[in-house]
Amino acid sequence: MRDRSARGLAAPPPGGQWEWEPLPAVLTGHAARCPDRPALSFVDYSRDPDGTWRTLTFAEVDQRARALAAALESRFVRGARVALLCPQGLEYGLGFLACLYAGMIAVPLFPPEDSRRIAQLTAVLADADPVCLLTDSRHADSCQDLTHRPVEVWPVDEAEPHLAPHWSQYRADPAEPAYLQYTSGSTGHPRGAVITHQNLVASTRQVIDGCGLSSDTPVASWLPLFHDMGLSIGVLAPILAGAHLALMSPLAFAQRPLRWLRLLDAHRAHFSGAPNFAYDLCVRRIPETDRDGLDLSSVRVLTNGAEPVRTGTLHRFTEAFAAGGLAPDTLKPSYGLAEATVLVACNRIGQRWTELRLDTEALAAGHVRVLNDHQAPPRLTTVVGCGRPVGQDVRVADPETRVEQPPGTVGELWVRGPNTANGYWRQPQDCAQLFDQVLKTSDGFENGWLRTGDLGFLHDGELFVLGRIKDVIIINGANHTPGDIEDTVGRAIPEAVPGAVAAFAVPGGDGEGDRLVVLVELAAGPRHAQDIGLRRRVMAAVGEHHGVRPHDILALRRGSLPRTTSGKLRRGDCRDRYLTDRFAPAAPTDTRTTP
């Protein structure tokens, strides 16, 4: 029997089903009903350490989006791709909205500010083949040479407001592409999920329902707008709900995490979100003396997503800021992916996250055996739930046979709903493998499923995510998720850079299975590996908690591990670099164990 409780369909508004309207129509409605209501604010810390606010009302946002849309319509054919290379700020949101108004396909990206990411940027631009690059005056010149052919570069901040009446009042069809959301994992093979106007509105409604948003719930965010979660929190959800957004830059947060929490306080924000590392950064970098006076009582939802959620992080952050009025159920572990537009599951308001103590050996065999407080097996694993699905269906399938699995069984997570994309831009082979899949159930065959590539299970209707299937480490026939091993090593080695441990498998010799390799960034540098007994301590911790023996343990300098644009470890790249001996400087090679 399938787990019917996993459907978790969102309740419609009091009037019944949501009525379809494209986002521009919703925004023009807000502008007509409450023109002077604040819509988008950007807090700039580049000149004033306390931040300088720029705010646009709904009428101003609508006018500027219409003006830029009219200019786009006059120059390019409807359905053309328009890339967004604006820095974090109001211009980014205006540029994205203008593309929707004009019926262009937006491509959210980032300005060419970091030389290490130019290759990724040019690869995505080559794949999307845009007709225009939208940026700001400061970055216009640096955008000129990013494409393989001449492409017009338009500064959003130079758009002429008097063009607004010339907008065609174009109304998109639900099935038309709205934007391409490029996944962050690969620079050599970029994949842009085609998000339709229906996907956009459906997913944003799910965020609004799941997080309890309305016009009276202010939103704050520092997440990069080119990322799916950042775009949802930083543009889509506030605009659709009619809420006032206060935006800041990722750099301003990284320089001083306290700025984010002070913004939540000053804006009386109801909703914000961040990856797991950001909550740990707040705990580490905000001393207790700076926490005095913070009032976080207005905050009801802080989503924790975009990377694995750690139970220790949830407890540390909640305890650290409880004195500031942060409710114990505010932190909301969640799960989503670009191919589902953004959100799949989250914990609702008033619900505290769920933790399960599992038998590690059973979990390695693909079975969920929940332990009570009195049971103490040789090894246990604690996992945190990501809440219930919001407005969509989630099942667990055997990745090989594509047969739905019963509750309590680990498998691949499959998703189906109005928010799921139909495929990747110009990638028919990848589309055929992941989108519109057929699931074999006890009732027959069901079409229209998205394969996520993520490993997890359902328990009492709640979703638990264990990691990427391609990253699973198989040793002696047992499956081990790298995130669990990395968490174990991180707890055992406080000298490691937080969140900077990578575990992956490399092929063994003839007749052998996988071998486990662990890479650790040390805050003091790899030369201290022997001084702190890194090899001995990692071997002991991994052996005790997972019953496996690492083949190799390397210490690296801070920043050595390759990551995606959203900060996730690229374990495949870690493996490739390790096998080609491209990690340096590293701990002495005597860390390698004998087979």
Side-chain angles (χ1 to χ4, degrees):
M1 292 292 290
R2 77 176 60 117
D3 188 356
R4 304 283 183 184
S5 62
R7 294 183 180 275
L9 296 176
Q17 293 294 322
W18 291 112
E19 181 180 352
W20 157 255
E21 275 194 308
L23 188 61
V26 175
L27 177 51
T28 56
H30 293 327
R33 289 187 298 272
C34 46
D36 299 326
R37 186 182 178 97
L40 301 180
S41 293
F42 180 67
V43 187
D44 184 0
Y45 295 91
S46 61
R47 294 180 177 86
D48 184 345
D50 294 326
T52 301
W53 287 63
R54 282 180 58 207
T55 300
L56 297 177
T57 65
F58 278 103
E60 290 170 327
V61 172
D62 176 55
Q63 181 197 37
R64 297 191 186 195
R66 284 188 285 116
L68 184 55
L72 290 170
E73 288 176 325
S74 70
R75 185 69 182 84
F76 308 111
V77 298
R78 187 158 285 131
R81 275 79 59 212
V82 174
L84 292 160
L85 280 70
C86 300
Q88 190 95 338
L90 300 178
E91 284 73 22
Y92 203 112
L94 292 171
F96 182 86
L97 292 168
C99 292
L100 302 185
Y101 274 64
M104 307 294 172
I105 302 175
V107 186
L109 295 171
F110 44 87
E113 297 175 320
D114 186 344
S115 60
R116 295 169 298 180
R117 298 167 66 187
I118 296 299
Q120 178 187 11
L121 188 58
T122 55
V124 171
L125 289 171
D127 186 69
D129 194 22
V131 297
C132 180
L133 309 182
L134 294 182
T135 185
D136 66 350
S137 302
R138 185 164 58 93
H139 294 87
D141 290 342
S142 60
C143 291
Q144 294 287 347
D145 300 323
L146 293 174
T147 55
H148 65 282
R149 60 175 178 79
V151 174
E152 294 190 41
V153 178
W154 289 15
V156 176
D157 51 343
E158 294 181 5
E160 302 178 26
H162 72 269
L163 294 176
H166 298 287
W167 174 53
S168 68
Q169 301 190 45
Y170 175 72
R171 185 182 178 91
D173 183 84
E176 289 181 29
Y179 64 101
L180 306 182
Q181 183 66 66
Y182 277 85
T183 57
S184 59
S186 172
T187 59
H189 181 54
R191 299 193 298 184
V194 181
I195 308 300
T196 66
H197 284 267
Q198 174 178 294
N199 295 150
L200 183 160
V201 173
S203 176
T204 308
R205 291 291 186 197
Q206 291 164 354
V207 172
I208 289 172
D209 289 340
C211 300
L213 302 185
S214 72
S215 60
D216 297 322
T217 55
V219 178
S221 179
W222 59 265
L223 298 174
L225 295 176
F226 61 83
H227 187 261
D228 52 5
M229 190 162 89
L231 183 64
S232 177
I233 297 177
V235 177
L236 304 180
I239 289 293
L240 198 64
H244 182 190
L245 166 73
L247 187 68
M248 60 184 284
S249 76
L251 179 60
F253 165 76
Q255 290 173 335
R256 197 176 181 199
L258 179 61
R259 288 170 172 163
W260 178 37
L261 301 191
R262 283 185 173 168
L263 181 60
L264 296 176
D265 180 352
H267 195 48
R268 306 312 299 152
H270 167 95
F271 172 48
S272 191
N276 191 85
F277 84 87
Y279 296 102
D280 275 330
L281 196 64
C282 287
V283 175
R284 294 198 315 271
R285 296 268 302 276
I286 302 177
E288 291 189 22
T289 53
D290 285 347
R291 301 172 193 175
D292 294 341
L294 273 178
D295 181 3
L296 302 177
S297 59
S298 68
V299 186
R300 297 302 297 122
V301 178
L302 289 177
T303 60
N304 183 333
E307 65 182 22
V309 180
R310 307 298 187 193
T311 55
T313 302
L314 301 175
H315 289 285
R316 286 190 293 271
F317 185 86
T318 300
E319 293 166 6
F321 297 100
L326 188 75
D329 58 13
T330 301
L331 235 56
K332 307 292 185 187
S334 60
Y335 168 68
L337 64 160
E339 293 82 354
T341 307
V342 58
L343 182 67
V344 172
C346 69
N347 286 273
R348 308 307 200 271
I349 291 178
Q351 295 178 338
R352 188 176 169 88
W353 70 83
T354 301
E355 292 180 31
L356 295 181
R357 298 169 71 250
L358 304 179
D359 184 316
T360 300
E361 292 185 1
L363 190 65
H367 305 293
V368 178
R369 179 175 173 241
V370 181
L371 307 170
N372 59 41
D373 293 338
H374 305 293
Q375 292 175 294
R379 292 184 291 275
L380 65 85
T381 299
T382 301
V383 296
V384 61
C386 291
R388 294 174 180 270
V390 184
Q392 58 204 285
D393 198 358
V394 177
R395 310 276 182 85
V396 176
D398 184 304
E400 300 296 330
T401 65
R402 307 187 178 200
V403 174
E404 182 181 0
Q405 299 299 290
T409 304
V410 174
E412 183 181 15
L413 301 176
W414 287 35
V415 177
R416 184 173 65 173
N419 54 301
T420 54
N422 291 325
Y424 295 121
W425 179 254
R426 295 176 175 172
Q427 300 286 346
Q429 184 173 355
D430 289 343
C431 293
Q433 297 173 356
L434 301 178
F435 297 89
D436 196 21
Q437 299 297 297
V438 178
L439 179 67
K440 301 176 185 178
T441 75
S442 57
D443 298 331
F445 296 88
E446 296 183 0
N447 299 315
W449 290 90
L450 166 69
R451 298 186 63 168
T452 68
D454 288 319
L455 197 68
F457 63 92
L458 290 163
H459 178 78
D460 290 341
E462 189 168 357
L463 184 63
F464 292 79
V465 183
L466 300 177
R468 299 291 292 167
I469 291 176
K470 65 181 181 181
D471 290 335
V472 169
I473 301 166
I474 306 174
I475 299 178
N476 296 327
N479 294 344
H480 301 272
T481 56
D484 288 341
I485 295 174
E486 292 160 1
D487 200 32
T488 295
V489 174
R491 291 196 305 269
I493 311 296
E495 298 91 343
V497 175
V501 177
F504 53 88
V506 296
D510 292 340
E512 296 183 28
D514 288 347
R515 290 173 170 176
L516 173 63
V517 173
V518 178
L519 308 180
V520 184
E521 290 184 8
L522 290 181
R527 63 186 180 279
H528 293 279
Q530 292 185 1
D531 295 341
I532 66 171
L534 178 68
R535 175 182 179 275
R536 171 182 53 79
R537 291 162 64 192
V538 171
M539 295 284 285
V542 174
E544 177 184 356
H545 292 281
H546 304 279
V548 297
R549 179 180 175 84
H551 163 71
D552 201 0
I553 302 161
L554 291 183
L556 306 174
R557 68 174 185 269
R558 184 189 295 268
S560 297
L561 297 176
R563 297 180 181 272
T564 69
T565 56
S566 60
K568 300 176 187 175
L569 287 171
R570 294 211 310 256
R571 297 189 183 92
D573 281 1
C574 290
R575 181 186 302 107
D576 292 344
R577 291 189 187 186
Y578 170 82
L579 291 173
T580 54
D581 223 9
R582 286 186 288 137
F583 275 115
T589 54
D590 63 3
T591 56
R592 181 171 285 111
T593 63
T594 55

